[in-house]
Amino acid sequence: MRIDQQSRQGRMDEQPRTRWVDQAAFSRRRPDLRLGTRSPRVDQSGEAAVDRIAAQHTVQTSTAEYSLLLNAPQHLGRRVVGDALRDAVAELRAIDLTYGPTRPDSLVSRLRRGEISPESYPPLADLVDRCAAMRAATDGWFDAWAVPGGFDPGGLLNGWAVERAAARLRAAGITDYAVLSGADLTVRGHAAHGGPWRVAVHHPTDGRRAPLVLEMTAGAVGTSGVTGRRGHVVDPHTGEPAEQLVAATVVGPDLAVADAYATALYAAGPTGLSWFRNGSGYQALFAHRRR
Protein backbone atom coordinates (compact mmCIF):
# COMPACT_ATOMS: atom_id res chain seq x y z
CA MET A 1 0.00 0.00 0.00
CA ARG A 2 1.40 3.38 -0.96
CA ILE A 3 1.81 6.15 1.59
CA ASP A 4 -0.59 8.49 -0.21
CA GLN A 5 -3.18 5.72 -0.28
CA GLN A 6 -2.77 5.17 3.45
CA SER A 7 -3.32 8.84 4.17
CA ARG A 8 -6.43 9.11 2.03
CA GLN A 9 -8.08 5.84 2.98
CA GLY A 10 -11.19 6.63 5.02
CA ARG A 11 -10.27 10.34 5.10
CA MET A 12 -11.40 11.60 1.71
CA ASP A 13 -13.22 14.59 3.22
CA GLU A 14 -10.19 15.71 5.19
CA GLN A 15 -7.01 17.53 4.26
CA PRO A 16 -4.30 18.35 6.81
CA ARG A 17 -4.49 22.00 7.71
CA THR A 18 -1.60 23.41 9.69
CA ARG A 19 -0.68 27.07 10.02
CA TRP A 20 2.58 28.33 11.42
CA VAL A 21 1.78 31.21 13.76
CA ASP A 22 3.94 34.25 14.46
CA GLN A 23 5.30 33.79 17.98
CA ALA A 24 4.71 37.41 18.99
CA ALA A 25 1.05 37.24 17.97
CA PHE A 26 0.58 33.86 19.63
CA SER A 27 1.96 34.98 22.98
CA ARG A 28 -1.37 36.63 23.80
CA ARG A 29 -3.18 33.27 23.64
CA ARG A 30 -2.50 30.12 25.60
CA PRO A 31 -1.91 26.90 23.67
CA ASP A 32 -4.34 24.02 23.97
CA LEU A 33 -1.58 21.41 23.72
CA ARG A 34 2.14 21.40 24.44
CA LEU A 35 4.50 18.85 22.88
CA GLY A 36 8.16 18.12 23.45
CA THR A 37 8.41 19.16 27.09
CA ARG A 38 9.64 16.75 29.74
CA SER A 39 6.12 16.73 31.15
CA PRO A 40 3.73 17.13 28.21
CA ARG A 41 0.49 18.73 29.24
CA VAL A 42 -2.90 19.85 28.08
CA ASP A 43 -3.69 23.47 28.89
CA GLN A 44 -7.19 24.52 29.81
CA SER A 45 -7.55 27.55 27.56
CA GLY A 46 -11.19 28.43 28.07
CA GLU A 47 -14.69 27.12 28.61
CA ALA A 48 -16.57 25.20 25.97
CA ALA A 49 -19.15 27.04 23.92
CA VAL A 50 -22.70 26.82 25.25
CA ASP A 51 -23.82 24.42 22.54
CA ARG A 52 -20.84 22.08 22.91
CA ILE A 53 -19.86 19.22 25.24
CA ALA A 54 -16.18 19.17 26.22
CA ALA A 55 -14.65 16.00 27.67
CA GLN A 56 -11.13 14.94 28.60
CA HIS A 57 -9.78 11.56 29.64
CA THR A 58 -6.34 10.05 30.25
CA VAL A 59 -5.60 6.34 29.92
CA GLN A 60 -2.39 4.47 30.76
CA THR A 61 -1.45 1.28 28.94
CA SER A 62 1.65 -0.86 29.45
CA THR A 63 3.61 1.21 26.94
CA ALA A 64 2.13 4.72 26.77
CA GLU A 65 -0.15 7.31 28.30
CA TYR A 66 -2.86 8.82 26.12
CA SER A 67 -4.95 11.96 26.61
CA LEU A 68 -8.19 12.30 24.66
CA LEU A 69 -9.97 15.64 24.30
CA LEU A 70 -13.42 15.76 22.74
CA ASN A 71 -15.44 18.79 21.69
CA ALA A 72 -18.85 17.50 20.61
CA PRO A 73 -22.09 19.19 19.58
CA GLN A 74 -24.71 19.35 22.32
CA HIS A 75 -27.27 17.44 20.29
CA LEU A 76 -25.20 14.24 20.52
CA GLY A 77 -25.84 14.11 24.24
CA ARG A 78 -23.50 13.19 27.07
CA ARG A 79 -24.31 9.50 26.85
CA VAL A 80 -23.18 9.30 23.21
CA VAL A 81 -20.05 11.30 24.00
CA GLY A 82 -19.29 9.07 26.98
CA ASP A 83 -19.82 5.91 24.94
CA ALA A 84 -17.52 7.26 22.17
CA LEU A 85 -14.83 8.04 24.71
CA ARG A 86 -15.07 4.57 26.25
CA ASP A 87 -14.94 3.00 22.79
CA ALA A 88 -11.77 4.91 21.88
CA VAL A 89 -10.13 3.99 25.20
CA ALA A 90 -11.09 0.34 24.69
CA GLU A 91 -9.41 0.43 21.27
CA LEU A 92 -6.18 1.76 22.78
CA ARG A 93 -6.19 -0.92 25.47
CA ALA A 94 -7.02 -3.66 22.97
CA ILE A 95 -4.14 -2.68 20.68
CA ASP A 96 -1.76 -2.70 23.62
CA LEU A 97 -2.89 -6.20 24.59
CA THR A 98 -3.23 -7.63 21.08
CA TYR A 99 -0.24 -6.17 19.23
CA GLY A 100 2.36 -5.26 21.84
CA PRO A 101 5.71 -6.76 20.72
CA THR A 102 6.78 -7.41 24.32
CA ARG A 103 3.69 -9.48 25.12
CA PRO A 104 4.45 -13.19 24.41
CA ASP A 105 0.85 -13.97 23.41
CA SER A 106 0.28 -10.92 21.19
CA LEU A 107 -0.37 -11.30 17.47
CA VAL A 108 2.98 -9.64 16.74
CA SER A 109 4.82 -12.15 18.94
CA ARG A 110 2.94 -15.05 17.36
CA LEU A 111 3.82 -13.70 13.91
CA ARG A 112 7.48 -13.54 14.88
CA ARG A 113 7.37 -17.16 15.97
CA GLY A 114 5.75 -18.19 12.67
CA GLU A 115 2.52 -19.36 14.32
CA ILE A 116 0.28 -17.12 12.20
CA SER A 117 0.50 -15.13 8.96
CA PRO A 118 -0.40 -11.45 8.59
CA GLU A 119 -3.47 -12.43 6.57
CA SER A 120 -4.88 -14.27 9.60
CA TYR A 121 -6.17 -10.97 11.02
CA PRO A 122 -7.01 -7.95 8.80
CA PRO A 123 -5.72 -5.31 11.30
CA LEU A 124 -2.43 -7.22 11.58
CA ALA A 125 -2.17 -7.30 7.78
CA ASP A 126 -2.74 -3.52 7.73
CA LEU A 127 -0.01 -3.01 10.33
CA VAL A 128 2.47 -5.16 8.39
CA ASP A 129 1.57 -3.40 5.11
CA ARG A 130 2.16 0.00 6.68
CA CYS A 131 5.57 -1.08 7.96
CA ALA A 132 6.52 -2.39 4.53
CA ALA A 133 5.36 0.84 2.88
CA MET A 134 7.40 2.95 5.30
CA ARG A 135 10.48 0.79 4.73
CA ALA A 136 10.19 1.59 1.02
CA ALA A 137 9.42 5.29 1.58
CA THR A 138 12.48 5.79 3.82
CA ASP A 139 15.03 3.82 1.80
CA GLY A 140 15.12 1.17 4.50
CA TRP A 141 15.80 3.55 7.40
CA PHE A 142 12.50 2.52 8.95
CA ASP A 143 12.69 -1.26 8.98
CA ALA A 144 10.43 -3.19 11.33
CA TRP A 145 12.24 -6.40 10.39
CA ALA A 146 15.78 -5.19 11.15
CA VAL A 147 15.49 -5.67 14.91
CA PRO A 148 16.48 -8.51 17.24
CA GLY A 149 13.79 -11.15 17.34
CA GLY A 150 12.21 -10.26 14.03
CA PHE A 151 9.25 -8.07 13.14
CA ASP A 152 8.72 -5.17 15.56
CA PRO A 153 6.32 -2.36 14.50
CA GLY A 154 7.15 -0.23 17.53
CA GLY A 155 8.22 2.78 15.47
CA LEU A 156 4.67 3.32 14.22
CA LEU A 157 2.53 1.19 16.53
CA ASN A 158 1.72 4.08 18.87
CA GLY A 159 0.62 6.32 16.02
CA TRP A 160 -1.39 3.47 14.49
CA ALA A 161 -3.17 2.96 17.81
CA VAL A 162 -3.99 6.67 18.10
CA GLU A 163 -5.38 6.82 14.57
CA ARG A 164 -7.56 3.74 15.17
CA ALA A 165 -8.91 5.31 18.38
CA ALA A 166 -9.59 8.53 16.48
CA ALA A 167 -11.51 6.54 13.87
CA ARG A 168 -13.75 5.25 16.65
CA LEU A 169 -14.52 8.85 17.65
CA ARG A 170 -15.39 9.80 14.07
CA ALA A 171 -17.64 6.76 13.74
CA ALA A 172 -19.61 8.06 16.73
CA GLY A 173 -20.12 11.43 15.04
CA ILE A 174 -17.40 13.33 16.91
CA THR A 175 -15.39 15.40 14.44
CA ASP A 176 -13.63 17.77 16.87
CA TYR A 177 -11.00 16.02 18.95
CA ALA A 178 -7.35 15.69 19.88
CA VAL A 179 -5.57 12.50 20.93
CA LEU A 180 -2.18 13.07 22.55
CA SER A 181 0.54 10.62 23.58
CA GLY A 182 3.82 12.05 24.79
CA ALA A 183 5.16 14.21 21.96
CA ASP A 184 2.74 12.74 19.40
CA LEU A 185 -0.75 13.88 18.56
CA THR A 186 -3.52 13.79 16.01
CA VAL A 187 -6.23 16.45 15.84
CA ARG A 188 -9.32 17.25 13.85
CA GLY A 189 -11.79 20.10 13.84
CA HIS A 190 -11.75 22.70 16.59
CA ALA A 191 -10.92 23.00 20.26
CA ALA A 192 -13.52 23.80 22.94
CA HIS A 193 -12.97 27.55 22.52
CA GLY A 194 -14.22 27.30 18.92
CA GLY A 195 -10.94 27.96 17.13
CA PRO A 196 -8.27 25.68 15.67
CA TRP A 197 -6.25 23.56 18.06
CA ARG A 198 -3.31 25.67 19.22
CA VAL A 199 -0.21 23.48 19.54
CA ALA A 200 3.13 24.59 21.00
CA VAL A 201 5.92 22.23 19.90
CA HIS A 202 8.86 22.69 22.27
CA HIS A 203 12.46 21.78 21.64
CA PRO A 204 12.91 18.47 23.50
CA THR A 205 16.17 19.32 25.28
CA ASP A 206 16.58 23.11 25.19
CA GLY A 207 13.88 24.71 27.31
CA ARG A 208 15.23 28.20 26.55
CA ARG A 209 14.06 28.05 22.95
CA ALA A 210 10.67 29.46 22.08
CA PRO A 211 8.28 26.74 20.90
CA LEU A 212 7.23 26.34 17.30
CA VAL A 213 3.57 27.30 17.30
CA LEU A 214 0.98 25.63 15.07
CA GLU A 215 -2.74 26.09 14.56
CA MET A 216 -4.27 22.82 13.35
CA THR A 217 -7.72 21.69 12.27
CA ALA A 218 -6.57 18.35 10.81
CA GLY A 219 -3.27 16.52 10.93
CA ALA A 220 -0.71 14.86 13.14
CA VAL A 221 2.67 15.49 14.75
CA GLY A 222 5.07 12.58 15.35
CA THR A 223 8.35 12.78 17.27
CA SER A 224 11.31 10.52 17.93
CA GLY A 225 13.92 11.34 20.58
CA VAL A 226 11.81 13.65 22.70
CA THR A 227 13.46 12.55 25.95
CA GLY A 228 16.97 13.04 24.63
CA ARG A 229 17.67 9.43 25.61
CA ARG A 230 20.41 7.76 23.55
CA GLY A 231 20.29 4.31 22.03
CA HIS A 232 16.52 3.90 21.75
CA VAL A 233 16.59 3.97 17.91
CA VAL A 234 18.88 1.61 16.02
CA ASP A 235 20.42 2.19 12.60
CA PRO A 236 18.81 -0.68 10.66
CA HIS A 237 21.78 -0.86 8.28
CA THR A 238 24.43 -1.38 10.96
CA GLY A 239 22.51 -2.51 14.04
CA GLU A 240 24.21 0.22 16.06
CA PRO A 241 22.38 2.92 18.06
CA ALA A 242 21.59 6.05 16.00
CA GLU A 243 23.59 8.99 17.30
CA GLN A 244 23.35 11.80 14.74
CA LEU A 245 20.23 13.60 15.99
CA VAL A 246 18.87 14.52 19.40
CA ALA A 247 15.28 14.64 18.11
CA ALA A 248 13.20 14.49 14.94
CA THR A 249 9.65 15.78 14.54
CA VAL A 250 7.41 15.32 11.50
CA VAL A 251 3.97 16.77 10.70
CA GLY A 252 1.48 15.34 8.20
CA PRO A 253 -1.95 13.77 7.68
CA ASP A 254 -1.58 10.45 9.53
CA LEU A 255 0.18 9.87 12.87
CA ALA A 256 1.32 6.32 12.10
CA VAL A 257 3.16 7.58 9.02
CA ALA A 258 4.48 10.70 10.77
CA ASP A 259 5.77 8.53 13.64
CA ALA A 260 7.53 6.17 11.25
CA TYR A 261 9.06 9.08 9.33
CA ALA A 262 10.29 10.63 12.60
CA THR A 263 11.86 7.33 13.68
CA ALA A 264 13.56 6.90 10.31
CA LEU A 265 14.75 10.52 10.25
CA TYR A 266 16.21 10.10 13.73
CA ALA A 267 18.13 7.05 12.49
CA ALA A 268 19.23 8.50 9.15
CA GLY A 269 20.09 12.02 10.25
CA PRO A 270 20.09 14.93 7.77
CA THR A 271 20.15 12.48 4.84
CA GLY A 272 16.50 11.74 5.58
CA LEU A 273 15.38 15.30 4.84
CA SER A 274 15.23 14.36 1.16
CA TRP A 275 12.11 12.25 1.83
CA PHE A 276 10.03 15.39 2.36
CA ARG A 277 10.76 17.04 -0.99
CA ASN A 278 8.57 14.83 -3.16
CA GLY A 279 5.11 16.09 -2.27
CA SER A 280 4.41 13.30 0.21
CA GLY A 281 2.30 15.60 2.41
CA TYR A 282 4.73 15.25 5.31
CA GLN A 283 7.24 17.80 6.55
CA ALA A 284 10.11 17.72 9.03
CA LEU A 285 9.72 20.32 11.76
CA PHE A 286 12.79 19.46 13.85
CA ALA A 287 15.92 17.53 12.97
CA HIS A 288 18.46 18.68 15.55
CA ARG A 289 22.03 17.36 15.46
CA ARG A 290 23.83 16.27 18.60
CA ARG A 291 26.60 18.52 19.75
Side-chain angles (χ1 to χ4, degrees):
M1 183 182 293
R2 289 167 45 198
I3 299 303
D4 57 346
Q5 291 175 325
Q6 292 178 7
S7 301
R8 289 198 299 266
Q9 190 175 27
R11 303 164 67 99
M12 296 299 291
D13 63 334
E14 176 182 345
Q15 292 295 323
R17 289 177 289 277
T18 301
R19 186 170 74 90
W20 278 252
V21 181
D22 177 72
Q23 180 67 37
F26 187 82
S27 63
R28 296 190 297 272
R29 295 175 294 173
R30 293 178 61 186
D32 303 300
L33 307 166
R34 294 182 182 273
L35 301 179
T37 60
R38 296 268 181 188
S39 300
R41 71 176 188 267
V42 177
D43 284 356
Q44 300 295 333
S45 54
E47 297 295 327
V50 175
D51 61 344
R52 311 293 289 183
I53 299 173
Q56 179 179 337
H57 184 74
T58 299
V59 56
Q60 179 75 53
T61 70
S62 67
T63 57
E65 181 177 277
Y66 302 91
S67 294
L68 300 90
L69 291 83
L70 283 60
N71 171 34
Q74 190 77 36
H75 68 79
L76 284 181
R78 294 188 178 276
R79 177 174 294 182
V80 171
V81 172
D83 287 345
L85 190 57
R86 283 188 288 272
D87 198 25
V89 168
E91 181 72 7
L92 292 170
R93 292 193 183 280
I95 289 173
D96 178 53
L97 291 170
T98 308
Y99 298 94
T102 62
R103 294 184 177 276
D105 294 329
S106 74
L107 295 182
V108 168
S109 294
R110 293 178 62 193
L111 179 65
R112 294 163 87 170
R113 294 194 298 265
E115 298 173 2
I116 59 173
S117 69
E119 292 73 23
S120 303
Y121 301 88
L124 179 62
D126 176 60
L127 182 61
V128 172
D129 285 348
R130 282 173 170 263
C131 288
M134 290 310 302
R135 180 169 59 180
T138 61
D139 305 315
W141 284 99
F142 178 90
D143 191 343
W145 290 266
V147 292
F151 177 69
D152 185 342
L156 64 70
L157 183 61
N158 187 62
W160 187 71
V162 167
E163 291 292 354
R164 287 181 64 88
R168 294 293 189 108
L169 298 176
R170 292 195 298 274
I174 297 174
T175 57
D176 300 274
Y177 59 78
V179 185
L180 170 74
S181 178
D184 300 338
L185 69 79
T186 188
V187 302
R188 183 170 174 172
H190 296 82
H193 50 68
W197 294 95
R198 300 192 291 255
V199 182
V201 185
H202 292 258
H203 189 281
T205 59
D206 188 351
R208 298 169 298 177
R209 297 194 187 191
L212 176 64
V213 179
L214 311 173
E215 286 190 341
M216 305 178 69
T217 54
V221 179
T223 297
S224 182
V226 66
T227 63
R229 177 169 55 91
R230 295 193 174 200
H232 73 292
V233 174
V234 174
D235 180 335
H237 302 294
T238 65
E240 298 296 323
E243 296 286 350
Q244 294 192 64
L245 300 182
V246 67
T249 301
V250 174
V251 63
D254 182 278
L255 183 54
V257 177
D259 256 351
Y261 266 131
T263 300
L265 180 59
Y266 186 96
T271 301
L273 294 174
S274 62
W275 304 326
F276 308 103
R277 298 171 187 155
N278 59 1
S280 67
Y282 294 83
Q283 183 173 350
L285 298 185
F286 291 144
H288 294 296
R289 289 180 180 270
R290 291 195 184 274
R291 295 181 178 178

